[in-house]
Amino acid sequence: MQQSRPRVQGYDLEELKWEDIPGAPWVDDALGLAFDLISPDRVEAHVEVGPQHHQPYGIVHGGVYCSMVETLASVAGAMRVLAQEKIVVGVSNTTDFLRATREGRLAGSATPVHVGRLQHLWQVEVARSDGKLAARGQVRLQVLDADRL
C-alpha cells in the first residue's frame, strides 16, 4: 500500500527512511494503517475499517484495536530512542474495547505516560469517526541496545 509520508517532527526527512521506522511497512500492508504524525512525544495514525476487519458478528475484531495500540506505542517509543541507537520491544499490551465499530475511520494517538532509561509506558486512544472513544490501551516497552536481538 503506497501512502504519503507522515510528518516526522524533529528529524530530517531526507535522512529518515520510512522503512527504517520499526513496524511501519508491516502494518501498512496487513492492517491498512496510515500514519499521520510521528514524533518522539506523539504518534497519530488511522485505518479505514470495513468487512475485512470484522469478526464473525460483523464488528471490528479486537485484534485490530490491539494492533493499532501496539504499533502506535512501538513507533513512538522507537522514535524516542532512535538517536541513542537503541530499540524498543513490547513487553505488555493491555487494550480495552469500549465501543463497537462496523465501518469508517478509526484514528489513534499515542502519548507517553512514563519514559525511563530502560522502560516506557505509552497510552493509546482509538476514536471512531463520530469522535467517540472505541478503545484505549497501554503498552509497556523495554529499551534494548540495537545489537541485542
Side-chain angles (χ1 to χ4, degrees):
M1 168 185 273
Q2 192 68 300
Q3 71 176 35
S4 62
R5 289 177 64 131
R7 295 173 290 142
V8 180
Q9 297 178 341
Y11 294 90
D12 182 355
L13 286 177
E14 297 304 317
E15 293 179 17
L16 183 65
K17 296 183 179 92
W18 177 240
E19 54 274 3
D20 291 340
I21 299 173
W26 176 83
V27 204
D28 281 351
D29 295 339
L31 190 60
L33 190 66
F35 289 89
D36 302 307
L37 172 68
I38 297 174
S39 79
D41 298 312
R42 185 176 186 87
V43 169
E44 297 175 1
H46 69 275
V47 62
E48 298 292 337
V49 293
Q52 71 276 24
H53 298 101
H54 286 178
Q55 44 95 306
Y57 299 111
I59 59 176
V60 173
H61 191 282
V64 172
Y65 299 110
C66 291
S67 294
M68 287 182 73
V69 167
E70 178 98 18
T71 301
L72 270 65
S74 294
V75 170
M79 293 304 294
R80 261 301 167 111
V81 300
L82 188 65
Q84 303 165 26
E85 297 184 7
K86 303 273 187 183
I87 61 170
V88 293
V89 295
V91 294
S92 174
N93 177 340
T94 303
T95 302
D96 295 306
F97 314 125
L98 305 173
R99 285 187 179 83
T101 305
R102 291 189 188 279
E103 62 183 8
R105 179 174 284 216
L106 291 175
S109 61
T111 54
V113 174
H114 170 76
V115 177
R117 186 174 56 84
L118 298 176
Q119 288 195 342
H120 295 186
L121 183 63
W122 290 84
Q123 177 175 291
V124 180
E125 293 186 343
V126 180
R128 302 186 315 189
S129 301
D130 62 7
K132 292 183 178 178
L133 202 57
R136 179 177 172 191
Q138 68 178 31
V139 175
R140 182 168 300 280
L141 301 170
Q142 184 71 40
V143 179
L144 301 172
D145 291 329
D147 61 358
R148 178 84 187 255
L149 292 182

